[in-house]
Amino acid sequence: MAEPGGTVRDPEAVSRFVEHFAAQLVEAGLPRMPARVFGALLASDTGVMTSVELGEQLKISPAAVSGAVRYLSQVHMVSREREPGSRRERYRVHGDQWYEALTNREAVLKRWEGALREGVTSLGADTPAGRRLAETLAFFEFMEKEVEAMMERWRVYREERFGRE
């Protein structure tokens, strides 16, 4: 298996990494096919592959690639782009994909917080269920502040370690 730029790879070693890493992502809750596609993109030197390339490497159908990429796009783990001069799309994983995926979860946390606030009001703050919801809400509010501070520390650390991109 040759990567763009002439890097020669052992296809079996690449496949073992992709499947092993995908298994770890599945264990953490990611669906299997998106985990495999993400692993393949991550293991590619360019971080970019077409649907055909993903299908061939992973031995999966175009429909499986499409569904996996749709999921990964929705959770901000990959982006889609057009091949220059073509109608074909290619899919890209970025070096900061974890940062992006985590920071884009902020909108989800905000919605959960809103629903929990409504729940506390609806159920009554002095009921056992209301107190449980209030504690859950406090946890999410705490996490939101901590993630924000942690991501700022990550930006500094990343720049020191890898430089600006």
Side-chain angles (χ1 to χ4, degrees):
M1 166 183 276
E3 282 281 320
T7 305
V8 177
R9 300 271 176 91
D10 173 7
E12 289 300 316
V14 172
S15 181
R16 277 192 307 274
F17 164 76
V18 168
E19 297 304 328
H20 177 73
F21 188 66
Q24 302 309 307
L25 293 174
V26 168
E27 198 169 302
L30 202 67
R32 185 175 188 282
M33 203 55 65
R36 293 181 71 215
V37 167
F38 184 75
L41 285 166
L42 200 59
S44 125
D45 278 347
T46 62
V48 177
M49 296 177 80
T50 66
S51 180
V52 170
E53 291 167 334
L54 286 163
E56 287 173 357
Q57 180 177 334
L58 299 172
K59 297 175 179 49
I60 59 176
S61 71
V65 171
S66 178
V69 168
R70 183 174 38 258
Y71 176 89
L72 292 168
S73 295
Q74 289 172 345
V75 296
H76 306 282
M77 291 178 73
V78 301
S79 60
R80 298 171 186 248
E81 53 191 47
R82 289 266 182 221
E83 272 190 359
S86 170
R87 290 178 32 163
R88 288 194 324 176
E89 286 187 328
R90 55 188 183 181
Y91 311 108
R92 176 181 300 277
V93 66
H94 298 277
D96 62 351
Q97 76 276 349
W98 299 113
Y99 172 84
E100 289 298 322
L102 190 56
T103 55
N104 284 314
R105 287 290 184 210
E106 185 177 343
V108 172
L109 287 176
K110 289 283 189 199
R111 289 194 304 270
W112 290 355
E113 289 170 8
L116 287 164
R117 275 189 198 87
E118 284 180 26
V120 170
T121 301
S122 298
L123 299 174
D126 56 346
T127 67
R131 284 191 296 275
R132 188 170 47 254
L133 293 181
E135 184 176 343
T136 303
L137 172 59
F139 172 76
F140 285 126
E141 290 170 337
F142 174 82
M143 288 300 297
E144 186 179 356
K145 287 183 180 106
E146 289 300 307
V147 166
E148 187 178 314
M150 180 181 63
M151 296 316 279
E152 181 56 36
R153 289 191 309 273
W154 165 248
R155 283 189 290 274
V156 170
Y157 176 80
R158 181 176 186 229
E159 188 173 322
E160 288 170 356
R161 181 151 183 200
F162 300 104
R164 284 199 180 267
E165 283 192 9

